[in-house]
Amino acid sequence: AATANYTFTVESMRVSQLCNSTDIIAVNGQLPGPTIEVNEGDAVAVNVINGSPYNLTIHWHGILQLLTPWADGPSMVTQCPIQPNSSYTYRFNVTGQEGTLWWHAHSSFLRATVYGALIIRPKNGSSYPFPAPDREVPVVLGEWWNRNVVDVESDAVSSGQLPSQSDAFTINGLTGELYQCANETFTVDVQPNTTVLLRVINAGLNTHLFFRVAGHAFTVVAVDACYTANYTTDTLVLAPGHTVDALMVANASAGSYYVAVQAYDSLSPNTMAASDETTATGIVRYNSTSTNSTATPVMPTMPGSSDSATANAFYFGLRGPAPASPGAAAVPSKVDVNMTIELGLGQLPCDSTQTSCAGNAVAAAMNGMSFRLPMQMSLLEAQFNGTPGVYTADFPDVPPPSGTPMTVGTKVRRLKYNSTVEIVLQNPTAFPSENHPIHLHGFNFFVLAQGLGNFTPGNVSGYNLVDPVSRNTLAVPTGGWAVIRFVANNPGMWFFHCHLDAHVPMGLGMVFAVDNGTTPGSFLPPPPADLPNFGRDPVTLPV
Ligand code: C2O
């Protein structure tokens, strides 16, 4: 297998968008940043040079990082950030997964502009488990702020309020012509009756998105770099963090068709109409020469912004490949650890760091615990060195009695190497409930069941143990629940958190601490020599 080497230089860059000139942090002067393209089985080395004024880390979203936990990237979970004018080389292997993933900054709100696609093709000589497309097009959806996003986040955190909304949605960095002062438009030129593989990524911070192309349907073949059974739909739904590989046959009549991207606002009951109702557009254009270039493209009819039925139909409809077909994986039948995790939104008294906060701050919790990252040392260093005082291992397996006030902590759940874990994720069934895309680092999981209302033991008989879809990010339905199962076959510290970036500083996360196994190949490796550690050497902390 080959090693794919990349250098990411992270720097400030001036961009004209929405009639403004804005300084953003970008990689190699590109938005989106460079696409990483590898074949399954390859090794990757990315030297990240931080020329920005901010502390920074990069996460390879969905990469399993088997025995390379030091390359995972979430700030203060697996590493201290790369400080300005420093660098760190992320080294990992891409094994046992194919399809579309992505990479993004995993510190403050920097992922708003520090992101790009990560494409894994089958090994040379192997083919896709579907007819080869004529073309492949990465379609990276994003959110755009006219303000500096680090300021957007720190204002929200210090005031204890939710951050302001983005000013636009983007497709491959471009807003499309329905916004003012639009620059170039994302355009796909197609030949009639060819097949295009769209590699769609929701790189947005906080907004779930509906995606349609007028006059065209899609066949979904993979999500989160896990193959699926073919699923036909005219609407793709992507929560922040999700990826979808979809085949689109260019079988419409000659002309041009809008690609449209709009918000799915899952807040329920939807009394606030809080979502941004604007539309990012691109164009699918047939035979550009014969098309009348002045004709207005056809616009798709989009779902309503609070159309949870369409979102749930998409998510609930996905299946894994049929047993024994390419890409199929067997569900482990014996469960070692059963957990129920309640996702809660609420309030906590302002703390002393929240300088512009009055009274209470918005907060979020898993099982009543509002998660805080450690400040002095990453969790993975503390685990590797056995340093006490950085975290506690008392994350509760079940929700506290209702009415229990939220607590603040850095709690992990220890797992024995190779144990099988099943988690019921429960959203509130009353306001405020919203769809939280819960992302697990280090593993893919099977999605055994999803439903509305409260999970009950009677739902167990409805588990799909035959062909469940596998994912790394699960959109827990608003007012509902979902059940996942995974095997903890990777020692290290693995963040499990809401992928709405606004909910991370609010505390909607926890960490799984997977122990070493007993056989060679099941131990935490030592940290790489260039791991950033703020100059501490050796690592010590008072108890
Ligand atoms: Cu895509 Cu913890 O993140």
Side-chain angles (χ1 to χ4, degrees):
T3 299
N5 287 290
Y6 292 83
T7 300
F8 280 15
T9 304
V10 187
E11 281 173 334
S12 189
M13 166 172 94
R14 179 146 285 226
V15 175
S16 294
Q17 191 100 276
L18 305 182
C19 318
N20 274 284
S21 222
T22 307
D23 285 318
I24 64 166
I25 304 301
V27 176
N28 296 357
Q30 295 166 240
L31 181 72
T35 299
I36 292 184
E37 294 184 75
V38 296
N39 295 102
E40 194 274 328
D42 285 353
V44 179
V46 186
N47 181 20
V48 176
I49 301 169
N50 186 5
S52 88
Y54 302 110
N55 285 336
L56 169 93
T57 67
I58 306 276
H59 168 54
W60 319 92
H61 180 113
I63 292 284
L64 298 172
Q65 299 291 8
L66 195 60
L67 297 175
T68 52
W70 304 103
D72 191 39
S75 185
M76 301 315 289
V77 177
T78 62
Q79 68 169 102
C80 291
I82 309 167
Q83 294 181 280
N85 301 312
S86 303
S87 66
Y88 175 49
T89 301
Y90 291 86
R91 295 176 191 279
F92 54 89
N93 297 310
V94 179
T95 345
Q97 44 188 168
E98 296 176 7
T100 304
L101 294 173
W102 61 301
W103 56 266
H104 60 80
H106 209 303
S107 45
S108 66
F109 267 15
L110 284 172
R111 87 166 202 238
T113 54
V114 178
Y115 63 79
L118 196 169
I119 294 172
I120 309 164
R121 298 198 175 85
K123 274 193 174 60
N124 285 331
S126 314
S127 48
Y128 295 122
F130 46 84
D134 300 291
R135 273 189 78 181
E136 299 186 8
V137 181
V139 184
V140 191
L141 313 179
E143 284 178 84
W144 177 262
W145 270 265
N146 288 329
R147 283 187 70 206
N148 177 312
V149 289
V150 176
D151 295 344
V152 170
E153 192 209 18
S154 55
D155 286 359
V157 169
S158 64
S159 67
Q161 300 303 310
L162 287 169
S164 55
Q165 277 179 12
S166 53
D167 296 294
F169 303 122
T170 55
I171 305 176
N172 289 353
L174 307 170
T175 61
E177 60 215 42
L178 302 189
Y179 291 95
Q180 290 201 308
C181 308
N183 27 32
E184 191 195 334
T185 297
F186 165 71
T187 304
V188 186
D189 284 313
V190 294
Q191 299 298 321
N193 300 313
T194 57
T195 301
V196 183
L197 172 59
L198 300 173
R199 297 180 175 275
V200 191
I201 298 163
N202 184 350
L205 281 191
N206 296 319
T207 310
H208 302 254
L209 296 169
F210 289 126
F211 178 95
R212 276 191 183 175
V213 178
H216 295 77
F218 310 109
T219 303
V220 175
V221 293
V223 292
D224 298 0
C226 298
Y227 289 119
T228 62
N230 286 356
Y231 178 75
T232 305
T233 178
D234 57 8
T235 309
L236 304 182
V237 189
L238 295 96
H242 277 159
T243 63
V244 175
D245 289 4
L247 299 172
M248 184 183 80
V249 179
N251 56 6
S253 44
S256 54
Y257 300 85
Y258 272 127
V259 177
V261 174
Q262 276 183 7
Y264 159 46
D265 178 7
S266 67
L267 200 64
S268 172
N270 202 296
T271 50
M272 312 223 307
S275 73
D276 178 345
E277 306 268 342
T278 61
T279 310
T281 53
I283 296 173
V284 169
R285 193 167 58 176
Y286 281 69
N287 268 350
S288 46
T289 45
S290 68
T291 304
N292 177 353
S293 60
T294 60
T296 308
V298 180
M299 190 69 188
T301 310
M302 297 302 285
S305 65
S306 57
D307 186 350
S308 289
T310 292
N312 292 342
F314 178 80
Y315 292 134
F316 292 22
L318 297 171
R319 293 270 175 282
S325 62
V331 183
S333 52
K334 185 179 150 294
V335 175
D336 302 300
V337 176
N338 275 98
M339 299 175 71
T340 298
I341 297 183
E342 204 170 71
L343 311 173
L345 297 176
Q347 301 208 311
L348 278 169
C350 302
D351 70 37
S352 60
T353 65
Q354 296 177 304
T355 46
S356 58
C357 177
N360 286 317
V362 294
M366 289 186 171
N367 283 352
M369 193 273 307
S370 189
F371 184 77
R372 294 293 177 275
L373 291 166
M375 306 286 285
Q376 313 88 334
M377 176 187 294
S378 72
L379 297 175
L380 186 59
E381 286 168 273
Q383 180 191 33
F384 181 78
N385 292 310
T387 312
V390 180
Y391 60 87
T392 55
D394 55 346
F395 182 84
D397 283 359
V398 291
S402 75
T404 310
M406 266 184 204
T407 56
V408 172
T410 306
K411 295 182 195 293
V412 309
R413 174 61 161 90
R414 275 183 72 176
L415 295 174
K416 287 208 175 69
Y417 178 75
N418 256 343
S419 51
T420 297
V421 184
E422 181 175 298
I423 306 171
V424 176
L425 288 154
Q426 178 70 58
N427 257 326
T429 53
F431 182 82
S433 188
E434 66 181 299
N435 185 309
H436 295 285
I438 304 295
H439 172 48
L440 178 60
H441 287 231
F443 309 92
N444 291 324
F445 47 73
F446 295 101
V447 183
L448 301 186
Q450 303 173 77
L452 301 179
N454 281 313
F455 175 85
T456 66
N459 293 125
V460 174
S461 61
Y463 285 2
N464 177 358
L465 301 172
V466 178
D467 61 353
V469 70
S470 294
R471 306 206 71 144
N472 62 53
T473 305
L474 174 72
V476 184
T478 185
W481 52 270
V483 183
I484 64 172
R485 195 180 284 184
F486 70 98
V487 179
N489 62 353
N490 196 5
M493 286 284 190
W494 304 108
F495 208 1
F496 185 57
H497 66 91
C498 183
H499 215 274
L500 305 179
D501 226 8
H503 291 176
V504 178
M506 287 168 57
L508 199 51
M510 55 81 71
V511 168
F512 287 106
V514 180
D515 291 347
N516 282 335
T518 52
T519 50
S522 66
F523 309 134
L524 276 179
D530 61 342
L531 184 77
N533 77 348
F534 284 129
R536 280 181 287 98
D537 188 34
V539 174
T540 45
L541 239 208
V543 181

mmCIF file of all heavy atoms in Angstrom, residues 59-62 72 74 102-106 111 240-241 439-441 472-473 495-499 501 504, ligand 1:
data_model
loop_
_atom_site.group_PDB
_atom_site.id
_atom_site.type_symbol
_atom_site.label_atom_id
_atom_site.label_comp_id
_atom_site.label_asym_id
_atom_site.label_seq_id
_atom_site.Cartn_x
_atom_site.Cartn_y
_atom_site.Cartn_z
ATOM 1 N N HIS A 59 -9.345 16.940 12.770
ATOM 2 C CA HIS A 59 -9.939 15.617 12.988
ATOM 3 C C HIS A 59 -10.308 15.016 11.632
ATOM 4 O O HIS A 59 -10.809 15.712 10.757
ATOM 5 C CB HIS A 59 -11.189 15.782 13.868
ATOM 6 C CG HIS A 59 -12.078 14.576 13.954
ATOM 7 N ND1 HIS A 59 -11.620 13.329 14.327
ATOM 8 C CD2 HIS A 59 -13.411 14.422 13.721
ATOM 9 C CE1 HIS A 59 -12.639 12.468 14.310
ATOM 10 N NE2 HIS A 59 -13.736 13.104 13.953
ATOM 11 N N TRP A 60 -10.077 13.725 11.492
ATOM 12 C CA TRP A 60 -10.345 12.996 10.238
ATOM 13 C C TRP A 60 -11.646 12.256 10.488
ATOM 14 O O TRP A 60 -11.652 11.118 10.945
ATOM 15 C CB TRP A 60 -9.136 12.105 9.920
ATOM 16 C CG TRP A 60 -7.898 12.893 10.236
ATOM 17 C CD1 TRP A 60 -7.213 12.909 11.422
ATOM 18 C CD2 TRP A 60 -7.278 13.893 9.410
ATOM 19 N NE1 TRP A 60 -6.206 13.849 11.373
ATOM 20 C CE2 TRP A 60 -6.217 14.463 10.155
ATOM 21 C CE3 TRP A 60 -7.512 14.358 8.104
ATOM 22 C CZ2 TRP A 60 -5.404 15.480 9.638
ATOM 23 C CZ3 TRP A 60 -6.702 15.348 7.596
ATOM 24 C CH2 TRP A 60 -5.669 15.895 8.353
ATOM 25 N N HIS A 61 -12.751 12.945 10.223
ATOM 26 C CA HIS A 61 -14.072 12.534 10.693
ATOM 27 C C HIS A 61 -14.490 11.193 10.075
ATOM 28 O O HIS A 61 -14.688 11.104 8.855
ATOM 29 C CB HIS A 61 -15.089 13.634 10.357
ATOM 30 C CG HIS A 61 -16.487 13.335 10.777
ATOM 31 N ND1 HIS A 61 -17.139 14.040 11.753
ATOM 32 C CD2 HIS A 61 -17.372 12.401 10.355
ATOM 33 C CE1 HIS A 61 -18.357 13.549 11.916
ATOM 34 N NE2 HIS A 61 -18.517 12.552 11.066
ATOM 35 N N GLY A 62 -14.626 10.174 10.927
ATOM 36 C CA GLY A 62 -15.056 8.862 10.449
ATOM 37 C C GLY A 62 -13.921 7.880 10.250
ATOM 38 O O GLY A 62 -14.166 6.678 10.126
ATOM 39 N N ASP A 72 -6.242 11.237 16.079
ATOM 40 C CA ASP A 72 -7.686 11.474 15.908
ATOM 41 C C ASP A 72 -8.015 12.963 15.865
ATOM 42 O O ASP A 72 -8.844 13.390 15.065
ATOM 43 C CB ASP A 72 -8.463 10.764 17.023
ATOM 44 C CG ASP A 72 -9.951 10.731 16.765
ATOM 45 O OD1 ASP A 72 -10.350 10.537 15.588
ATOM 46 O OD2 ASP A 72 -10.733 10.923 17.719
ATOM 47 N N PRO A 74 -9.451 15.512 18.222
ATOM 48 C CA PRO A 74 -10.265 16.448 18.996
ATOM 49 C C PRO A 74 -9.442 17.105 20.112
ATOM 50 O O PRO A 74 -8.795 16.418 20.904
ATOM 51 C CB PRO A 74 -11.388 15.576 19.574
ATOM 52 C CG PRO A 74 -10.856 14.189 19.545
ATOM 53 C CD PRO A 74 -9.940 14.121 18.357
ATOM 54 N N TRP A 102 -14.623 13.106 5.608
ATOM 55 C CA TRP A 102 -14.124 14.472 5.494
ATOM 56 C C TRP A 102 -13.220 14.771 6.663
ATOM 57 O O TRP A 102 -13.103 13.961 7.592
ATOM 58 C CB TRP A 102 -15.284 15.468 5.384
ATOM 59 C CG TRP A 102 -16.255 15.541 6.540
ATOM 60 C CD1 TRP A 102 -17.023 14.520 7.031
ATOM 61 C CD2 TRP A 102 -16.566 16.688 7.324
ATOM 62 N NE1 TRP A 102 -17.795 14.988 8.068
ATOM 63 C CE2 TRP A 102 -17.543 16.316 8.270
ATOM 64 C CE3 TRP A 102 -16.128 18.016 7.320
ATOM 65 C CZ2 TRP A 102 -18.073 17.196 9.207
ATOM 66 C CZ3 TRP A 102 -16.662 18.902 8.242
ATOM 67 C CH2 TRP A 102 -17.629 18.488 9.168
ATOM 68 N N TRP A 103 -12.552 15.885 6.604
ATOM 69 C CA TRP A 103 -11.699 16.322 7.714
ATOM 70 C C TRP A 103 -12.117 17.731 8.102
ATOM 71 O O TRP A 103 -12.658 18.469 7.293
ATOM 72 C CB TRP A 103 -10.216 16.261 7.322
ATOM 73 C CG TRP A 103 -9.875 17.042 6.085
ATOM 74 C CD1 TRP A 103 -9.819 16.562 4.805
ATOM 75 C CD2 TRP A 103 -9.577 18.438 6.002
ATOM 76 N NE1 TRP A 103 -9.503 17.570 3.932
ATOM 77 C CE2 TRP A 103 -9.344 18.739 4.638
ATOM 78 C CE3 TRP A 103 -9.476 19.470 6.926
ATOM 79 C CZ2 TRP A 103 -9.018 20.021 4.188
ATOM 80 C CZ3 TRP A 103 -9.150 20.756 6.485
ATOM 81 C CH2 TRP A 103 -8.924 21.010 5.128
ATOM 82 N N HIS A 104 -11.887 18.068 9.379
ATOM 83 C CA HIS A 104 -12.249 19.426 9.817
ATOM 84 C C HIS A 104 -11.476 19.798 11.069
ATOM 85 O O HIS A 104 -11.019 18.922 11.823
ATOM 86 C CB HIS A 104 -13.758 19.534 10.061
ATOM 87 C CG HIS A 104 -14.332 18.634 11.107
ATOM 88 N ND1 HIS A 104 -14.250 18.905 12.453
ATOM 89 C CD2 HIS A 104 -15.013 17.453 11.012
ATOM 90 C CE1 HIS A 104 -14.874 17.948 13.141
ATOM 91 N NE2 HIS A 104 -15.331 17.039 12.293
ATOM 92 N N ALA A 105 -11.350 21.107 11.326
ATOM 93 C CA ALA A 105 -10.768 21.581 12.580
ATOM 94 C C ALA A 105 -11.630 21.076 13.722
ATOM 95 O O ALA A 105 -12.855 20.958 13.591
ATOM 96 C CB ALA A 105 -10.682 23.101 12.586
ATOM 97 N N HIS A 106 -11.000 20.733 14.854
ATOM 98 C CA HIS A 106 -11.755 20.253 16.020
ATOM 99 C C HIS A 106 -11.351 21.064 17.240
ATOM 100 O O HIS A 106 -10.985 20.531 18.283
ATOM 101 C CB HIS A 106 -11.522 18.767 16.245
ATOM 102 C CG HIS A 106 -12.670 18.042 16.888
ATOM 103 N ND1 HIS A 106 -13.209 18.410 18.102
ATOM 104 C CD2 HIS A 106 -13.405 16.977 16.471
ATOM 105 C CE1 HIS A 106 -14.209 17.588 18.410
ATOM 106 N NE2 HIS A 106 -14.351 16.701 17.431
ATOM 107 N N ARG A 111 -13.922 24.898 12.459
ATOM 108 C CA ARG A 111 -14.302 23.998 11.366
ATOM 109 C C ARG A 111 -15.254 24.683 10.387
ATOM 110 O O ARG A 111 -15.507 24.157 9.302
ATOM 111 C CB ARG A 111 -14.851 22.677 11.917
ATOM 112 C CG ARG A 111 -16.316 22.624 12.242
ATOM 113 C CD ARG A 111 -16.795 21.164 12.456
ATOM 114 N NE ARG A 111 -18.223 21.114 12.238
ATOM 115 C CZ ARG A 111 -19.123 20.697 13.112
ATOM 116 N NH1 ARG A 111 -18.750 20.233 14.287
ATOM 117 N NH2 ARG A 111 -20.397 20.707 12.810
ATOM 118 N N PRO A 240 -25.170 17.892 10.294
ATOM 119 C CA PRO A 240 -23.747 18.230 10.332
ATOM 120 C C PRO A 240 -22.912 16.996 10.709
ATOM 121 O O PRO A 240 -23.205 16.326 11.706
ATOM 122 C CB PRO A 240 -23.671 19.313 11.417
ATOM 123 C CG PRO A 240 -24.990 19.999 11.325
ATOM 124 C CD PRO A 240 -25.969 18.864 11.067
ATOM 125 N N GLY A 241 -21.920 16.672 9.893
ATOM 126 C CA GLY A 241 -21.094 15.495 10.111
ATOM 127 C C GLY A 241 -21.390 14.356 9.161
ATOM 128 O O GLY A 241 -20.535 13.520 8.907
ATOM 129 N N HIS A 439 -22.138 11.902 17.237
ATOM 130 C CA HIS A 439 -20.989 11.354 16.501
ATOM 131 C C HIS A 439 -20.071 10.592 17.452
ATOM 132 O O HIS A 439 -19.725 11.096 18.510
ATOM 133 C CB HIS A 439 -20.226 12.509 15.840
ATOM 134 C CG HIS A 439 -18.915 12.109 15.215
ATOM 135 N ND1 HIS A 439 -18.784 11.020 14.374
ATOM 136 C CD2 HIS A 439 -17.678 12.666 15.283
ATOM 137 C CE1 HIS A 439 -17.521 10.937 13.975
ATOM 138 N NE2 HIS A 439 -16.826 11.910 14.510
ATOM 139 N N LEU A 440 -19.675 9.383 17.041
ATOM 140 C CA LEU A 440 -18.728 8.579 17.804
ATOM 141 C C LEU A 440 -17.382 8.578 17.088
ATOM 142 O O LEU A 440 -17.300 8.211 15.905
ATOM 143 C CB LEU A 440 -19.259 7.144 17.952
ATOM 144 C CG LEU A 440 -18.358 6.150 18.704
ATOM 145 C CD1 LEU A 440 -18.091 6.594 20.135
ATOM 146 C CD2 LEU A 440 -18.995 4.751 18.693
ATOM 147 N N HIS A 441 -16.344 8.970 17.787
ATOM 148 C CA HIS A 441 -14.988 8.880 17.239
ATOM 149 C C HIS A 441 -14.483 7.433 17.365
ATOM 150 O O HIS A 441 -14.844 6.729 18.314
ATOM 151 C CB HIS A 441 -14.035 9.795 18.018
ATOM 152 C CG HIS A 441 -14.216 11.255 17.744
ATOM 153 N ND1 HIS A 441 -13.180 12.083 17.414
ATOM 154 C CD2 HIS A 441 -15.312 12.045 17.745
ATOM 155 C CE1 HIS A 441 -13.626 13.316 17.239
ATOM 156 N NE2 HIS A 441 -14.928 13.332 17.438
ATOM 157 N N ASN A 472 -21.159 6.658 11.504
ATOM 158 C CA ASN A 472 -20.399 7.215 12.620
ATOM 159 C C ASN A 472 -21.137 8.369 13.277
ATOM 160 O O ASN A 472 -20.716 8.862 14.316
ATOM 161 C CB ASN A 472 -18.987 7.632 12.181
ATOM 162 C CG ASN A 472 -19.011 8.732 11.122
ATOM 163 O OD1 ASN A 472 -19.647 9.773 11.308
ATOM 164 N ND2 ASN A 472 -18.319 8.517 10.007
ATOM 165 N N THR A 473 -22.219 8.838 12.647
ATOM 166 C CA THR A 473 -22.992 9.960 13.182
ATOM 167 C C THR A 473 -24.468 9.626 13.040
ATOM 168 O O THR A 473 -24.949 9.362 11.933
ATOM 169 C CB THR A 473 -22.678 11.263 12.423
ATOM 170 O OG1 THR A 473 -21.266 11.493 12.452
ATOM 171 C CG2 THR A 473 -23.399 12.462 13.041
ATOM 172 N N PHE A 495 -14.210 10.442 21.773
ATOM 173 C CA PHE A 495 -15.249 11.453 22.025
ATOM 174 C C PHE A 495 -16.571 10.975 21.415
ATOM 175 O O PHE A 495 -16.594 10.398 20.311
ATOM 176 C CB PHE A 495 -14.809 12.773 21.370
ATOM 177 C CG PHE A 495 -15.338 14.032 22.006
ATOM 178 C CD1 PHE A 495 -16.162 14.018 23.129
ATOM 179 C CD2 PHE A 495 -14.971 15.266 21.471
ATOM 180 C CE1 PHE A 495 -16.622 15.208 23.694
ATOM 181 C CE2 PHE A 495 -15.421 16.459 22.035
ATOM 182 C CZ PHE A 495 -16.250 16.437 23.141
ATOM 183 N N PHE A 496 -17.661 11.192 22.134
ATOM 184 C CA PHE A 496 -19.017 10.828 21.695
ATOM 185 C C PHE A 496 -19.835 12.091 21.966
ATOM 186 O O PHE A 496 -20.090 12.425 23.123
ATOM 187 C CB PHE A 496 -19.506 9.655 22.546
ATOM 188 C CG PHE A 496 -20.836 9.058 22.160
ATOM 189 C CD1 PHE A 496 -21.072 8.555 20.889
ATOM 190 C CD2 PHE A 496 -21.867 8.962 23.096
ATOM 191 C CE1 PHE A 496 -22.286 7.968 20.555
ATOM 192 C CE2 PHE A 496 -23.090 8.374 22.770
ATOM 193 C CZ PHE A 496 -23.289 7.882 21.498
ATOM 194 N N HIS A 497 -20.193 12.823 20.910
ATOM 195 C CA HIS A 497 -20.738 14.168 21.159
ATOM 196 C C HIS A 497 -21.682 14.604 20.059
ATOM 197 O O HIS A 497 -21.672 14.065 18.955
ATOM 198 C CB HIS A 497 -19.594 15.178 21.281
ATOM 199 C CG HIS A 497 -18.810 15.381 20.004
ATOM 200 N ND1 HIS A 497 -19.126 16.348 19.078
ATOM 201 C CD2 HIS A 497 -17.738 14.728 19.498
ATOM 202 C CE1 HIS A 497 -18.269 16.289 18.062
ATOM 203 N NE2 HIS A 497 -17.419 15.304 18.282
ATOM 204 N N CYS A 498 -22.472 15.618 20.391
ATOM 205 C CA CYS A 498 -23.361 16.201 19.384
ATOM 206 C C CYS A 498 -22.514 16.921 18.349
ATOM 207 O O CYS A 498 -21.596 17.671 18.687
ATOM 208 C CB CYS A 498 -24.338 17.168 20.049
ATOM 209 S SG CYS A 498 -25.515 17.838 18.847
ATOM 210 N N HIS A 499 -22.816 16.698 17.068
ATOM 211 C CA HIS A 499 -22.051 17.342 16.004
ATOM 212 C C HIS A 499 -22.630 18.696 15.596
ATOM 213 O O HIS A 499 -22.196 19.289 14.610
ATOM 214 C CB HIS A 499 -21.890 16.413 14.799
ATOM 215 C CG HIS A 499 -20.574 16.572 14.099
ATOM 216 N ND1 HIS A 499 -20.364 17.508 13.122
ATOM 217 C CD2 HIS A 499 -19.393 15.934 14.258
ATOM 218 C CE1 HIS A 499 -19.117 17.428 12.691
ATOM 219 N NE2 HIS A 499 -18.505 16.474 13.372
ATOM 220 N N ASP A 501 -22.055 22.133 16.393
ATOM 221 C CA ASP A 501 -20.881 22.646 17.100
ATOM 222 C C ASP A 501 -21.267 23.533 18.274
ATOM 223 O O ASP A 501 -20.537 23.605 19.261
ATOM 224 C CB ASP A 501 -19.960 23.397 16.134
ATOM 225 C CG ASP A 501 -18.502 22.989 16.312
ATOM 226 O OD1 ASP A 501 -18.238 22.027 17.057
ATOM 227 O OD2 ASP A 501 -17.629 23.640 15.713
ATOM 228 N N VAL A 504 -21.354 21.614 21.685
ATOM 229 C CA VAL A 504 -20.165 21.040 22.317
ATOM 230 C C VAL A 504 -19.731 21.865 23.533
ATOM 231 O O VAL A 504 -19.606 21.314 24.632
ATOM 232 C CB VAL A 504 -19.035 20.831 21.288
ATOM 233 C CG1 VAL A 504 -17.782 20.270 21.970
ATOM 234 C CG2 VAL A 504 -19.495 19.882 20.179
HETATM 235 CU CU1 C2O B 1 -16.593 15.635 13.079
HETATM 236 CU CU2 C2O B 1 -15.775 15.202 17.097
HETATM 237 O O1 C2O B 1 -16.169 15.484 15.076
#
